[in-house]
Amino acid sequence: MLFQPAIIALMLASGLAALLVLASVPFAWTVVRRWNLADGSEAQLRMERRTYLVATLLKIVMAAELAALVLFVFNADRMATLFTGAMCAVGTLKVDPWGFPTLYLKLAVFFLAGCWLVLDHVDNRGWDYPLIRVKYAALILLAPVLVGSAVVQGAYFMGLRADVITSCCSTLFSGGGVTVTSNSVASLPHGLALSLLAGSLAAVLASGAVVLRWRRCGWLHALLSVAAFVIGMSAIISTISVYVYEMPHHHCPFCILKREYGHIGYALYVPLFVGTVCGLGAGIAGWAGRRPSLSTMAPLVARSLAAWSVGGYALFGLVALWLIERSHLILFEVVP
Amino acid sequence: MPRPADIAVALFTVAACAVAATFVDAAIGVSDATPRLAERAALVERLGLTDLSLFTEARYTRHLSQADAHAPFQDHPFAIEHFPSGSLVTPPRHQGGH
Amino acid sequence: MIHLTGVKKAFNQGRANEFWALKGIDLHVAQGKVTVFRGPSGSGKTTLLTMVGCLARPTSGRVKLKERDISSLPERFLTDIRRSTFGFVFQNFNLLKGITAVENVMVPAYPLGGDHGALRHRAHELLDRLEMGPKAKSMAEWLSGGEAQRVAIARALINDPQVVIADEPTANLDSARSAQFLDIVAEMKRDGRTILMTSHDPLVAEAGVVDHVVTMRDGVVVEAR
Amino acid sequence: MPVWLNRQRALLDFALSSLGRRLGKTLGLAVVYTLIVAVLASVMLFSHAIRREAAQVLAGTPELLVQRLVAGRHDMIPAERLDAIRAVRGVKSAEGRLWGYLFDPAAAANYTLMVPADRVVEAGSAVVGSGVADVRGVAVGDLMSFRAHDGNLVQFRIKDVIDNDSALVSADLFLVSETDFRRLFGVPADRFTDIVVAVRNPREVRTVAEKIDAALPDTRIILRDEILRTYESVFDWREGILLVLLVGAILAFAIFAWDKASGLSAEEKREIGILKAVGWETSDVIRLKAMEGTVVSLGAFLAGYLLAYLHVFHWGAALFAPVLKGWAVMYPEFQLTPFVDELQVATLFFFTVFPYTLATVVPIWRAATVDPDQVMR
């Protein structure tokens, strides 16, 4: 265990978030079983009022998890000096087996909480709360993820001992790698990665345009958003980061967040994350539009989410393009 | 008359700018201090010093990294001991070389 | 425009002090008319007004507003309907202390997000019409009973509701002020608004502007004319 | 969008006037909150700055130090070990160092006696750090004398005082010639305090260290990396401990905030009831109260951080100096370089705003869900 302000803050945040959601589970279960709007009893009224609390808490949890995600990566990078051989966040995360699972779980929590908030937002537009059971069932499913994320993070931080020899990004991401996935991601050919990226961005923008124009196919947009997220991340690791570092064998998704590179990573990740979470939300809102009481409101929500999503992906694409354009590294010879 | 909300937003903006200004001030301070830091670093290198002279009250705290494995009054390598700076700084943990 | 069928309301349900304030009300409120509910205190007339005005939901029974069943709407949507359809004048006026009369008038419109300047203009206009223009910048707690009531009326009208609900409007006023209030009611009626009042006051029940009088006792309607 | 913006502006207006109506309570809360942020921020800024300072200043520390241990105690190392070390592959050079501590009863202070590698000090003269000069009140040309190991008096004429700018590393230095050092402590000519090793390829430091360790089993080896890392984690650890103690303060404050938020006065409850009755929705009230909270917490955070920044970097960290100084007779005068870290500011924000928000959310919700019809009852 390392006593560090950022670590204490992270443990505090995820512990409290898990506790809050866990504490809402019995209530969620009551809603799933007992919800009945036609009932004018005081118990039903109390239940309705309690939903405001849960929604507010979830908003706070979501905000905290978002902040925690940034803080976690930032801190992992900063702690690299404490571990022999660790040169950036990758090294710190490889110090014990819980590092990367923590990161993945944090990502999952962020996206799931985002989806839940969209669900809540849409449901609140329908006069009969048509999705309330779905929503609270989803909350019950969300709880173990949050608890898991807190526990895994705890295990990770507890297991940290300064000065453990770890692999760093240069050995992890270029040859002789430790993780298979990261390696195969890093060894993705640049041309393939960029064309996949261009293709998926085009697809996701097109499907977003369909949602915007005809207010349908939200599910397709959500699916393509997930694909674009995965491909976007792979492209960052395999190719875009290389352009940023201007070193052909340096593939690291974290170093681009560093000050040395002008924190440029945030300009890539923030739009990508916004695009993805809004794309998922657009899918959820589109699906909710099938309920009669939401048939007018949900497509509107889907539309504005799709607009945000399209904006996010477009910005991501532009930033990526600009990074490639300004780089001194040439990976492709232009034949005149 | 400006509305209170706008005044508040303006005030918060000013305060946020002041926070941003501390970063600028810090950057200026660091660049001002660079020659001084470099000079200190050069002295350290020339003399082969290993530690800061912040903790000079006990004979083993001036050179924290060079302390004995069993320095006097130190019951346990991690014990917080009698001298105030000893409560601030534990003896080095990595004495074995590797 | 408002139909109540078999409306019942219980407080402290399931506890030892359970109490049924309304025991089955059937009622029709006509549009553009002035209706007065009277009866001894505890007869359930105020509770009935809260049902009609979407302030609370009946424990059982149906409330229909213009053919729309609103009795099982969640609070969120009930509020939506309430703020666009109803304006309230409370017995104790219930002005917010520490802010001016005109700000009190504007408060109900804040969550609607309309243009602030236009809202302020409308609030001043309403106060002027109620002859409260000179007092617009006074703090609410400095106003006399009659003044406070007129501010409360202006507040009730700020979102241009179709229905104005007044609970014991003349309880804290002398006769001259009460007569003045009834003039304001007549004016609101001329504007096409529906007005619902509860009152003990015979002056109110017998006023010329009143179209219907509903008499209640122990949570049931005993007479409607 | 304009509707949304108008609504936020109107709610913010109302939140401010609501705070203004309870000025005493608001100010009390804000002042306590600001102070807590300021103390936390000072701890973080101070320890980070000193950590970075140490890292930068000590970057030129010897790559590799070899010390002899006898029964767990540091002992003088024989000169023939130099050859053994030089024989290890990858070693560029190895030099013996002579340094030690000297307790000066006149000043009740410990000096670090050292034979400098970078300059020649003539026998009988000395170069002293500014702390030594201050504590003994000596200047260039003055005489200082100490009793040697055999009781004889050894005299030094101060030849030079090291510039005050580098006091952070040199305040207690007392640089003497090799002859004087050996005479004073009785160190035989073939013994050194420890050995400084330079390595040809910096990447090989660890391998070289292992080889030396294998060749000379009675030694311990200290790497530059380790020194730097130790300083890093040492200040981290201390900062962490301080923060854990301060978490108590944060908790106390959270309870205080909870109490303030849940102990709504009758007047406040009446206000919320009126707002709900005239057409505010529960979420509007929650938003209003959240805005009130945000104004307080954001204001306190910004003010507290700014105060801490001024305190640590412009007012000389007056609160921490006593802790650091401890009983040290010689304390270097140094101006802390303002290293500020975004991560720290972010952490601080998290630390102070998150608990407050959480502590107030339940009371806010409870207040916001009063029956709208209660004002009629």
Side-chain angles (χ1 to χ4, degrees):
Chain A
M1 176 73 193
L2 294 173
F3 263 139
Q4 268 198 345
I7 290 181
I8 299 169
L10 283 168
M11 303 261 279
L12 191 76
S14 54
L16 285 175
L19 218 64
L20 287 178
V21 174
L22 208 58
S24 320
V25 165
F27 169 68
W29 183 233
T30 319
V31 171
V32 170
R33 272 174 41 230
R34 298 252 169 84
W35 183 265
N36 176 15
L37 259 185
D39 179 8
S41 71
E42 287 178 356
Q44 167 69 17
L45 201 63
R46 272 199 298 277
M47 220 184 323
E48 261 179 71
R49 299 208 168 139
R50 191 78 190 271
T51 61
Y52 285 94
L53 179 64
V54 174
T56 311
L57 286 179
L58 251 282
K59 270 177 210 156
I60 295 175
V61 165
M62 163 95 173
E65 286 292 332
L66 177 61
L69 186 62
V70 177
L71 203 61
F72 182 77
V73 173
F74 214 155
N75 182 54
D77 182 54
R78 200 51 56 86
M79 281 197 306
T81 47
L82 293 178
F83 307 103
T84 317
M87 276 155 69
C88 72
V90 175
T92 320
L93 293 178
K94 295 295 284 183
V95 169
D96 73 22
W98 300 109
F100 272 102
T102 306
L103 180 66
Y104 296 145
L105 276 169
K106 275 197 167 321
L107 282 175
V109 165
F110 170 71
F111 283 119
L112 290 177
C115 290
W116 195 88
L117 286 179
V118 171
L119 201 61
D120 181 57
H121 182 77
V122 175
D123 186 40
N124 285 343
R125 296 287 169 286
W127 58 269
D128 57 350
Y129 291 160
L131 301 172
I132 193 140
R133 286 210 160 76
V134 179
K135 192 162 80 177
Y136 279 90
L139 187 68
I140 295 175
L141 294 180
L142 190 60
V145 184
L146 265 167
V147 173
S149 147
V151 169
V152 169
Q153 176 177 284
Y156 170 56
F157 285 140
M158 288 297 176
L160 283 189
R161 300 265 184 282
D163 192 24
V164 178
I165 298 174
T166 66
S167 59
C168 92
C169 47
S170 61
T171 58
L172 175 66
F173 280 100
S174 58
V178 186
T179 12
V180 182
T181 49
S182 303
N183 237 339
S184 57
V185 164
S187 61
L188 205 64
H190 301 306
L192 180 64
L194 285 186
S195 13
L196 270 177
L197 179 65
S200 70
L201 282 184
V204 82
L205 290 180
S207 70
V210 169
V211 179
L212 283 178
R213 178 73 181 79
W214 290 285
R215 299 185 187 179
R216 54 163 119 176
C217 292
W219 59 272
L220 184 67
H221 184 60
L223 268 182
L224 287 172
S225 294
V226 175
F229 178 73
V230 174
I231 292 174
M233 290 305 279
S234 327
I236 289 177
I237 294 170
S238 72
T239 310
I240 300 173
S241 62
V242 175
Y243 275 111
V244 176
Y245 308 133
E246 304 185 347
M247 281 185 277
H249 296 293
H250 192 185
H251 302 272
C252 176
F254 300 110
C255 290
I256 48 174
L257 295 169
K258 283 186 177 186
R259 188 185 264 170
E260 291 95 294
Y261 302 103
H263 299 300
I264 193 70
Y266 290 104
L268 278 173
Y269 286 126
V270 171
L272 184 62
F273 276 57
V274 168
T276 308
V277 81
C278 288
L280 283 171
I284 289 170
W287 164 77
R290 282 191 264 162
R291 309 289 168 128
S293 58
L294 289 173
S295 56
T296 50
M297 288 310 289
L300 288 179
V301 176
R303 231 185 105 189
S304 61
L305 282 172
W308 278 93
S309 161
V310 164
Y313 282 117
L315 191 61
F316 171 70
L318 287 178
V319 171
L321 211 60
W322 173 68
L323 287 177
I324 294 171
E325 160 49 42
R326 72 156 196 183
S327 175
H328 300 290
L329 186 78
I330 295 166
L331 290 177
F332 304 101
E333 292 292 336
V334 182
V335 184
Chain B
M1 198 186 80
R3 287 170 60 187
D6 300 345
I7 297 174
V9 169
L11 277 179
F12 277 120
T13 314
V14 168
C17 288
V19 168
T22 64
F23 283 91
V24 177
D25 182 61
I28 295 172
V30 169
S31 74
D32 279 355
T34 310
R36 209 167 62 226
L37 283 173
E39 197 180 309
R40 284 179 209 169
L43 187 76
V44 164
E45 189 154 7
R46 286 201 311 269
L47 292 177
L49 293 172
T50 47
D51 297 84
L52 303 177
S53 65
L54 276 178
F55 319 100
T56 54
E57 72 266 41
R59 77 175 189 94
Y60 54 89
T61 49
R62 158 62 163 111
H63 291 108
L64 298 157
S65 62
Q66 316 288 300
D68 289 353
H70 310 284
F73 304 124
Q74 201 177 295
D75 307 318
H76 181 271
F78 295 112
I80 294 178
E81 32 65 17
H82 324 286
F83 292 98
S85 64
S87 75
L88 204 70
V89 176
T90 51
R93 288 160 67 188
H94 310 288
Q95 300 179 331
H98 40 81
Chain C
M1 73 182 295
I2 303 166
H3 283 276
L4 278 72
T5 3
V7 165
K8 293 183 183 176
K9 177 71 176 178
F11 290 105
N12 305 321
Q13 220 177 356
R15 269 182 262 164
N17 54 350
E18 182 174 304
F19 159 67
W20 289 84
L22 297 178
K23 299 169 180 162
I25 306 275
D26 299 299
L27 190 74
H28 174 230
V29 178
Q31 186 155 13
K33 304 286 183 193
V34 178
T35 307
V36 173
F37 296 87
R38 67 176 179 189
S41 50
S43 60
K45 51 189 194 308
T46 301
T47 310
L48 182 62
L49 275 195
T50 63
M51 300 291 121
V52 174
C54 295
L55 272 173
R57 250 167 32 189
T59 308
S60 70
R62 299 255 155 264
V63 180
K64 271 188 174 174
L65 176 72
K66 289 191 225 154
E67 301 312 310
R68 183 168 181 202
D69 186 355
I70 57 170
S71 38
S72 63
L73 274 187
E75 241 179 67
R76 194 185 299 268
F77 301 92
L78 221 49
T79 308
D80 233 22
I81 292 173
R82 185 168 79 235
R83 62 179 163 207
S84 58
T85 316
F86 297 96
F88 293 88
V89 181
F90 304 104
Q91 182 175 0
N92 306 316
F93 316 130
N94 279 328
L95 297 184
L96 295 173
K97 289 178 191 152
I99 60 174
T100 61
V102 63
E103 281 173 297
N104 259 295
V105 173
M106 290 158 68
V107 158
Y110 282 165
L112 296 176
D115 178 66
H116 196 76
L119 174 63
R120 182 170 286 272
H121 184 70
R122 202 160 76 238
H124 275 295
E125 233 172 46
L126 277 170
L127 285 174
D128 285 343
R129 265 176 59 192
L130 293 164
E131 291 158 19
M132 283 293 296
K135 295 268 184 173
K137 293 269 163 67
S138 309
M139 287 295 166
E141 62 269 30
W142 300 344
L143 300 173
S144 72
E147 290 168 343
Q149 189 182 49
R150 275 178 284 164
V151 173
I153 292 171
R155 182 176 67 184
L157 294 176
I158 189 77
N159 286 338
D160 196 21
Q162 293 161 282
V163 185
V164 175
I165 293 179
D167 188 23
E168 298 287 353
T170 58
N172 296 327
L173 303 180
D174 58 31
S175 307
R177 294 284 178 199
S178 299
Q180 230 171 21
F181 171 75
L182 287 171
D183 291 344
I184 298 172
V185 169
E187 198 186 319
M188 291 194 286
K189 188 181 168 188
R190 270 201 300 283
D191 289 346
R193 296 186 212 279
T194 310
I195 291 126
L196 302 174
M197 292 186 275
T198 66
S199 188
H200 285 99
D201 195 347
L203 195 74
V204 172
E206 274 135 43
V209 68
V210 174
D211 301 293
H212 301 290
V213 176
V214 177
T215 312
M216 296 186 63
R217 184 173 285 275
D218 298 330
V220 289
V221 174
V222 290
E223 187 199 351
R225 65 173 167 87
Chain D
M1 210 56 170
V3 169
W4 182 84
L5 203 64
N6 275 335
R7 179 162 65 197
Q8 308 305 317
R9 261 174 94 191
L11 288 183
L12 183 54
D13 263 349
F14 196 78
L16 290 169
S17 97
S18 166
L19 286 173
R21 268 173 276 151
R22 285 171 279 278
L23 200 61
K25 185 175 159 180
T26 309
L27 276 185
L29 195 67
V31 167
V32 176
Y33 201 161
T34 307
L35 283 180
I36 287 187
V37 175
V39 171
L40 281 174
S42 299
V43 171
M44 289 175 131
L45 289 174
F46 185 85
S47 32
H48 178 72
I50 202 154
R51 203 156 51 211
R52 283 289 296 276
E53 184 109 22
Q56 299 233 330
V57 167
L58 296 177
T61 291
E63 269 179 312
L64 221 155
L65 278 168
V66 182
Q67 298 188 333
R68 182 177 178 220
L69 283 191
V70 173
R73 289 281 167 88
H74 177 206
D75 201 36
M76 294 291 164
I77 195 162
E80 63 258 28
R81 299 292 171 84
L82 278 172
D83 300 323
I85 292 171
R86 283 178 188 137
V88 171
R89 266 178 59 132
V91 171
K92 190 161 81 184
S93 68
E95 299 299 331
R97 272 202 318 176
L98 283 169
W99 65 275
Y101 300 108
L102 177 75
F103 183 71
D104 179 6
N110 269 310
Y111 305 151
T112 297
L113 242 72
M114 195 167 212
V115 178
D118 67 328
R119 66 190 94 188
V120 179
V121 182
E122 294 158 37
S125 65
V127 175
V128 299
S130 54
V132 179
D134 281 351
V135 80
R136 284 290 296 263
V138 292
V140 175
D142 290 354
L143 281 173
M144 282 173 81
S145 51
F146 302 104
R147 288 172 77 83
H149 73 288
D150 53 4
N152 293 329
L153 222 56
V154 183
Q155 269 201 334
F156 296 101
R157 184 170 294 280
I158 310 297
K159 204 182 79 182
D160 197 6
V161 176
I162 299 173
D163 190 11
N164 204 20
D165 260 2
S166 52
L168 184 58
V169 286
S170 68
D172 67 335
L173 284 187
F174 198 98
L175 305 179
V176 296
S177 69
E178 184 172 344
T179 347
D180 285 336
F181 187 92
R182 293 193 189 280
R183 187 152 61 104
L184 198 58
F185 293 120
V187 179
D190 62 343
R191 297 280 158 127
F192 291 103
T193 310
D194 49 22
I195 295 173
V196 176
V197 180
V199 175
R200 247 183 258 291
N201 180 356
R203 288 165 181 240
E204 298 280 303
V205 172
R206 210 153 263 279
T207 333
V208 171
E210 274 162 34
K211 282 185 197 159
I212 296 175
D213 192 47
L216 309 170
D218 65 338
T219 57
R220 65 157 170 188
I221 294 156
I222 300 167
L223 303 182
R224 177 204 286 163
D225 265 8
E226 285 168 356
I227 294 176
L228 292 180
R229 202 164 32 241
T230 304
Y231 267 103
E232 183 93 3
S233 54
V234 133
F235 285 112
D236 262 4
W237 175 83
R238 185 61 196 177
E239 187 187 355
I241 292 286
L242 257 179
L243 281 178
V244 167
L245 297 179
L246 286 174
V247 162
I250 297 181
L251 270 183
F253 176 69
I255 293 168
F256 175 68
W258 170 291
D259 186 55
K260 284 276 174 204
S262 61
L264 285 182
S265 62
E267 183 57 31
E268 278 174 272
K269 283 192 183 133
R270 192 180 145 258
E271 275 186 27
I272 292 173
I274 293 172
L275 290 177
K276 291 202 70 177
V278 300
W280 284 42
E281 217 266 306
T282 305
S283 51
D284 294 328
V285 179
I286 292 179
R287 189 166 298 141
L288 168 78
K289 289 283 154 191
M291 265 185 190
E292 285 178 22
T294 309
V295 168
V296 171
S297 58
L298 197 62
F301 170 76
L302 293 171
Y305 168 76
L306 289 172
L307 264 180
Y309 183 85
L310 290 174
H311 163 232
V312 171
F313 295 122
H314 291 281
W315 302 335
L319 282 179
F320 296 106
V323 184
L324 262 183
K325 277 180 182 165
W327 305 344
V329 180
M330 270 177 302
Y331 185 70
E333 277 175 30
F334 67 101
Q335 170 85 46
L336 213 51
T337 312
F339 291 107
V340 182
D341 183 8
E342 311 90 303
L343 172 68
Q344 283 204 304
V345 183
T347 311
L348 180 72
F349 183 76
F350 208 77
F351 240 112
T352 49
V353 175
F354 184 62
Y356 176 78
T357 315
L358 268 191
T360 50
V361 64
V362 173
I364 285 176
W365 164 77
R366 202 164 277 157
T369 49
V370 294
D371 287 322
D373 60 339
Q374 73 160 23
V375 288
M376 301 265 282
R377 285 186 210 151

